[in-house]
Amino acid sequence: MTYQLDPVRGRLGTARDISTAPETPFADGLPLRRGDHFGTLPLGDPTGGADGIRWREQVDGKQIYPRVSIDRDVTIKMSDGVRLRATVIRPANRFGQTALTPYPAIVNINPYNRAAIDFIDHALHVPVVSKAMKTAAGSVDATGTAFEGLTKLTQTLAGGVFDVFGINRTLVRSGYVQIIVDVRGTGASHGKWEILGAREQQDSVEILDWVREQEWCDGKLGLAGWSYSAINSLQGADKRPEGLGAVFAVEGCDDIVRDIYITGGMPSAFIPAWLSVVNVLKWLPNPSTMLRDMVRGDTLRWASSRVKSPATEMGSIDWGFLTARDPRIHDDPYFDERDPEIDRIEVPTFTVGAWHDLFSHSATGIYERLDMEPGRKQMVVGDGYHFDAGSGYGGDAAPPRLDVLERAWFDRWLKGHRNGVEYYGPVTMLQQGGSWTSGPSFPRPGMEHQRLYLSDAPSGSAAHAVHDGTLSSAPGLHTSSLKVKRDLRGMISRDMTQVTAGATMALGPHFNTDARFQEKGGLSFTSDAVIERVRLSGALNLRLNVATTGHEAVWAITINDVAPDGRSTVLTSGALSTANRALDHSKTRYTAEGAVAKAYHQLTRHHKLPVPADEPVRIDVALTPTDAVLEPGHRLRVDIYAASYPRYLNVVPDLLKLRGHHQRLVIDPKHPSYLTFEADLPII
C-alpha cells in the first residue's frame, strides 16, 4: 500500500499548508496549528529545515541532567525461569546521584554482548578526545580519491548510529531511561540463543512489561536498534505491547530469506561469518559483573547454557551446505516465524535503510508495509551498505544525524513535544547519481513502467566485457546464443562489499563505484546516452531467456549507471538459480500490460523446478528497488554473470550439477529478454 501526503489537511508540512489548513486532528487527536512546531519545514528539504536545526541544537546543547548513572548488573527473569542480563542507564545530577523522576524508557535488545557495547561507550566518551575524534571523522572528505571508501566508513562515527546501537548518554541526560538487554543465550544472558525465534520474541514482550512496571519508568516505552536489534524492535512492535509508543529501527529487515539467507535460492557467505562472530561473543563473560556472577552462582548457570548450545546453528548450516537437506537452505516456516509482521505495527515507526545494505529489499519494503499514514511512518534511505549506517548524515544537504532524528522521534511520540518531526520527509532518499531529496512517496510521483530489450548488437561502450550488447526499445531481429562462464571476479566488486556489510569498500573503487573489472567476466547490454535527466524510482525486474548444458545454473545481475568516461557504477542487483524460477503469482507484482514488475519466487524445496539441459527457459530476476538519476550523457547498463562469489554461494549438490556446464543467454525475438523498470522519462 502506498500513501501520499494530503496537502489539504496540512500533511505536507509547509508553512503555507499549515497556516491555511483548518484545525484537523492528526493521528493522536491533537489539532494542527501553525505554531505547533518550531520554524518552517518545506517539503523536499532532507535536512529538516529550521526544525532540523532545532533538533540538532537540542541534542548538542545543554541537557536537563549533567551525568548518567549506569547499572550494569540488572537481571530480568523470564516466565520460563531464564535470566536475562541488562544494563539500565538513568539520568543523574553532577554528583552522580540517580534522578528519582520517572521518564520514558528506550529499550534495545541485541546479541552482541553488552561488554562490547560498554567498550564502544567508553571509547566514545573519553573527555575531549572523543569529541575531537567525532569532529575529525565528520570533516574528512576523500571523495574521488582511492581512500573514498575508507572515508565513508570513518564518517559513520560522526553519523550517530552508535548512539542508536549502544548507550546514548545524551538521550538519557535529556530525560529518558535506557535499557540494553543481552538476547537470550548471548552476552551474559542465560538460555539458548534462538536467533529471533518465537521464545525470543516473547522475551521482548516480557522485557517491555518488566520495564513498564519499574519505578523509574513513566509507563511510556520506545524500541530502538541497529541491524539485529532493529529487527527484534519490529518484532516487538508487531505484538502491540502495552505502553509502546514509538520505534526507531536502523537497517532492519522484513524478509530474512530473500534479503540475506538465500537470495534467489542461494546462500550468502555473510550468514556463516556472522553466526561465527556472535557464537564467539556469547562465550565472553562480562568483566563488569564477573566476580559477583561467580559468587551468586550465575557464572555456573551461564556456562551450563553455553555448553548446551556451544555454536548455535553452525552445525545445521554446515549440514545444509553439504547436503541441501537442512530446511534453512530453503524458504521454510523457520523463517516465517522470524519475519516481523510489519502490517500489524500500529505505533509511529521511523526506519533507516541503504540501497546496498545487507537488507536492501527491506530498505523500502518496511515503509511500504507499514499500514499507517505518512508522518507516523518515516523512511530514510542512504546510498551505502550496513557498517556505514549514518555516514554523511548531518552534512549541509543531508538528513540530521541518526541520534538527532532518534531524539526528535521519541520526543514527539513519547513526550508529546510538537517539534515538527511528523512533517519531516516522509520519504527521504539519497538519489544514486544525485543528491539527498525528500518527497511524499516511494516510488517517486510521476514514474511510469518502461521496458528495454536486450539485443546482441554492439553498443560500442563495453569492449572489455565478454559481450558488448545493446539495450533498445524493441526486440532485436536476430537470434543468437551468448555464452558466459563462472569466474571469481565477484570477489572484487560491489557484490563483495555488500556481502561483507561494507567492509571491503576501503579497498578501492572496484569494490564500490567502478564495476569494470567485474564486467570483464560478464555480458553487458547498454543503452544510448540519455539527452535529458532521467529519474528511476521503484522496483526492477529482468526477464531472461537462458539455457545451460547442465541441470542447474546461477544468474547474477547488476543494473549500472555508465558515465561518459566509462565508469560503470552498480545501482541495484539481484540473482536467481534456474531451479528456483517458480513465481508466487499472488505476491508477484505486474505492470498494467501484464509484465512482471517485481518477481516473488517460491524458494522452498517443494517448488524447485527441473532444469532441462540445452533447452531455453524463461526466468525473472527480482532486482532491489532503488532510486537513481541518469544525468545527460550517462547510459543504463544490464550486466549478466554466471556467478558472483562469495555473495551467492552454491550448496554441494548444486555444485555437482554445475560441474563442467556452460551457461548461455538466448537472444530470441520470439522470446525476448528485457528489463522492466520505473522512470519519469523514456531512456530511449
Side-chain angles (χ1 to χ4, degrees), residues 269-313:
F270 175 80
I271 292 301
W274 170 73
L275 283 172
S276 299
V277 169
V278 180
N279 275 302
V280 168
L281 286 175
K282 77 180 188 182
W283 278 95
L284 301 178
N286 195 317
S288 63
T289 61
M290 189 183 302
L291 292 178
R292 281 169 287 181
D293 288 346
M294 292 177 65
V295 171
R296 294 184 302 225
D298 279 332
T299 299
L300 183 60
R301 286 187 284 267
W302 170 84
S304 176
S305 297
R306 296 299 179 271
V307 169
K308 292 176 182 177
S309 182
T312 305
E313 295 216 0

Side-chain angles (χ1 to χ4, degrees), residues 106 176 223 246 248 406-415:
I106 309 302
Y176 287 90
L223 282 166
F248 192 88
E406 180 191 33
R407 164 79 178 276
W409 195 246
F410 288 135
D411 276 356
R412 172 65 184 91
W413 302 113
L414 300 186
K415 292 187 174 181

Side-chain angles (χ1 to χ4, degrees), residues 356 432 452 462 464 471 493-495 512-519 523-527 536 540 556-563 566-574 623 626 628-630 634-641 675 683:
H356 304 281
Q432 296 191 81
L452 290 177
H464 57 285
L471 285 179
S493 70
R494 194 161 214 174
D495 278 343
N512 188 27
T513 57
D514 191 345
R516 283 176 289 187
F517 176 80
Q518 186 185 21
E519 286 176 343
L523 309 174
S524 286
F525 299 86
T526 314
S527 73
L536 292 78
L540 304 91
I557 310 299
T558 65
I559 308 300
N560 300 18
D561 171 6
V562 183
R567 176 177 288 225
S568 179
T569 302
V570 174
L571 301 176
T572 181
S573 59
L623 302 160
T626 195
V629 59
L630 297 179
H634 286 237
R635 304 166 182 252
L636 190 68
R637 174 174 291 167
V638 172
D639 284 329
I640 301 173
Y641 304 100
L675 175 69
I683 287 181

Side-chain angles (χ1 to χ4, degrees), residues 110-114 182-183 185-190 278 281-286 302 306:
N110 76 64
Y112 299 115
N113 200 319
R114 286 174 302 121
D182 285 329
V183 164
T186 70
S189 288
H190 304 169
V278 180
L281 286 175
K282 77 180 188 182
W283 278 95
L284 301 178
N286 195 317
W302 170 84
R306 296 299 179 271

Side-chain angles (χ1 to χ4, degrees), residues 1-3 240 341-349 365-374 376-377:
M1 184 177 296
T2 301
Y3 286 91
R240 301 177 179 177
E341 296 183 57
I342 303 299
D343 51 6
R344 280 185 47 83
I345 297 175
E346 296 180 323
V347 298
T349 300
I366 294 172
Y367 178 85
E368 183 179 15
R369 288 183 58 198
L370 286 167
D371 191 12
M372 62 186 75
E373 63 268 38
R376 286 176 61 84
K377 65 174 181 177

Side-chain angles (χ1 to χ4, degrees), residues 49 90 116 181 184 242 261 319 352 377 385 394 409 450 482 538 573 614 650 671:
R90 298 171 60 187
V181 186
R184 168 186 296 250
E242 185 177 350
Y261 256 85
W319 176 250
V352 179
K377 65 174 181 177
Y385 303 95
W409 195 246
Q450 299 188 30
L482 307 177
S573 59
D614 275 329
N650 301 113
H671 304 286

Side-chain angles (χ1 to χ4, degrees), residues 162-283:
F162 289 106
D163 291 303
V164 179
F165 173 71
I167 296 175
N168 191 337
R169 294 179 178 238
T170 304
L171 181 68
V172 172
R173 288 170 52 220
S174 71
Y176 287 90
V177 179
Q178 189 180 16
I179 303 90
I180 299 176
V181 186
D182 285 329
V183 164
R184 168 186 296 250
T186 70
S189 288
H190 304 169
K192 178 184 176 181
W193 185 33
E194 295 185 356
I195 312 181
L196 299 167
R199 178 62 246 192
E200 187 177 309
Q201 294 176 48
Q202 179 63 27
D203 287 346
S204 295
V205 175
E206 293 183 16
I207 289 167
L208 292 173
D209 288 342
W210 178 86
V211 169
R212 189 167 48 83
E213 294 172 357
Q214 302 308 302
E215 61 181 5
W216 35 258
C217 176
D218 67 2
K220 297 176 182 177
L221 307 170
L223 282 166
W226 176 22
S227 191
Y228 192 105
S229 52
I231 298 173
N232 63 30
S233 291
L234 296 168
Q235 288 178 329
D238 77 35
K239 308 301 182 292
R240 301 177 179 177
E242 185 177 350
L244 182 64
V247 173
F248 192 88
V250 178
E251 294 182 341
C253 177
D254 71 336
D255 191 340
I256 298 171
V257 168
R258 287 159 183 79
D259 264 338
I260 191 65
Y261 256 85
I262 48 173
T263 305
M266 291 165 288
S268 161
F270 175 80
I271 292 301
W274 170 73
L275 283 172
S276 299
V277 169
V278 180
N279 275 302
V280 168
L281 286 175
K282 77 180 188 182
W283 278 95

Side-chain angles (χ1 to χ4, degrees), residues 27 36 72 101 195 198 222 266 445 472 493-494 549 584 600 652 675:
D36 275 347
R72 294 182 169 87
T101 305
I195 312 181
M266 291 165 288
S472 59
S493 70
R494 194 161 214 174
T549 57
D584 182 338
Y600 189 95
V652 171
L675 175 69

